[in-house]
Amino acid sequence: MTEGGAKAVPWQSCVIEDIVQQTPSIKSFFLRLSKPFAHIAGQHVDVRLTAPDGYSAMRSYSIASATTSSPILELAIERLPDGEVSSFFHDVAAIGDDIELRGPLGGHFLWPDPAVDAVLLIGAGSGLVPLMAMIRHRRTLSQTVPTALLLSARTEADVLFSEELHATETGDAAFVLALAITREAPVRPSDFGRRIDGAMVQDVVARLNRKPSHVFVCGSNGFVNIATEGALLAGLPPSIIKTERYGG
């Protein structure tokens, strides 16, 4: 997620106001910004950690919050194998700690404006985060553009923002939620018990009752490759597919 113009965006300090364990491997960190900013759904921030000896590490994290100018920003961070920065957040970071960040960043992976055509969102793990910002933005503005989320998770317990997603589906006839549960049988008959493939994407597109004009895919490198291939096999043109990948 490195941005060529990121150096022009100043760093600012923020304080961890709250930490919420969302799934066994993902925590939400609610950060109070010293200089609040508005963002576009899909954008991210850079986070920089600096040790007493001067060593620093930086990672990019998508913004989960709805697109408002609130001084509180939500980042949902997944513990990744050998993830230097994600391990710090999960094992060391505490309420009251100061964190450096800069943003908002990103001009490619953005919710369409105006949102008038159907949208397909495909994610896995913390790859849901920028997609969730889009879903929250859509809900905040009371948009009715048909939107489907195909979300892959190992188990039901690993579904990030599960209650909010199910509530959105229940209260919004134009929103479709489909889970791809890979390590146990799905609870709902409308969900899938396998990894994402072309037939699955085609099934979810059919629930939209129209072909999407925008497809957003976010997750690990391997997941993005598989999900994008599934979208292509479902007959969706590559020109409408935007991808974003995360690391540790």
Side-chain angles (χ1 to χ4, degrees):
M1 298 184 199
T2 302
E3 298 298 316
K7 291 182 180 178
V9 180
W11 291 94
Q12 64 166 292
S13 63
C14 58
V15 176
I16 299 177
E17 287 240 328
D18 197 11
I19 301 173
V20 177
Q21 187 84 48
Q22 299 284 9
T23 75
S25 62
I26 302 175
K27 290 181 179 181
S28 278
F29 295 84
F30 294 87
L31 310 176
R32 178 170 291 277
L33 303 172
S34 57
K35 298 178 181 177
F37 54 73
H39 67 280
I40 302 171
Q43 287 189 302
H44 63 274
V45 295
D46 286 342
V47 173
R48 182 170 65 187
L49 306 177
T50 304
D53 63 2
Y55 172 76
S56 66
M58 187 180 74
R59 295 292 185 275
S60 296
Y61 291 110
S62 295
I63 301 169
S65 314
T67 51
T68 66
S69 56
S70 167
I72 305 297
L73 194 73
E74 181 183 1
L75 305 180
I77 299 177
E78 182 174 4
R79 180 195 293 276
L80 300 176
D82 302 318
E84 183 179 30
V85 176
S86 65
S87 293
F88 167 84
F89 274 101
H90 277 261
D91 298 334
V92 180
I95 294 173
D97 285 353
D98 291 320
I99 301 291
E100 270 192 303
L101 66 73
R102 65 180 174 188
L105 303 169
H108 167 70
F109 198 82
L110 304 176
W111 181 253
D113 182 21
V116 294
D117 297 318
V119 179
L120 173 62
L121 311 173
I122 306 177
S126 58
L128 172 62
V129 176
L131 310 180
M132 196 67 200
M134 295 178 182
I135 292 168
R136 288 170 168 173
H137 173 73
R138 175 182 174 276
R139 184 174 66 237
T140 298
L141 296 185
S142 300
Q143 294 179 341
T144 58
V145 56
T147 302
L149 170 65
L150 175 55
L151 180 64
S152 179
R154 295 180 181 89
T155 69
E156 295 283 344
D158 293 304
V159 176
L160 180 61
F161 302 127
S162 177
E163 289 187 12
E164 185 176 349
L165 288 172
H166 284 95
T168 300
E169 181 187 39
T170 300
D172 186 347
F175 179 76
V176 174
L177 172 65
L179 304 178
I181 305 298
T182 62
R183 296 192 181 178
E184 65 182 22
V187 173
R188 308 186 311 169
S190 58
D191 292 333
F192 304 93
R194 66 181 192 274
R195 296 181 182 277
I196 288 176
D197 55 32
M200 187 185 299
V201 176
Q202 198 164 20
D203 184 301
V204 174
V205 168
R207 300 183 200 181
L208 278 171
N209 294 320
R210 69 183 76 179
K211 286 223 172 180
S213 295
H214 306 275
V215 180
F216 296 92
V217 182
C218 187
S220 65
N221 278 323
F223 173 81
V224 168
N225 292 339
I226 292 170
T228 300
E229 181 180 359
L232 295 173
L233 290 173
L236 301 179
S239 60
I240 69 170
I241 302 172
K242 295 183 178 181
T243 64
E244 191 155 272
R245 306 160 192 264
Y246 62 74

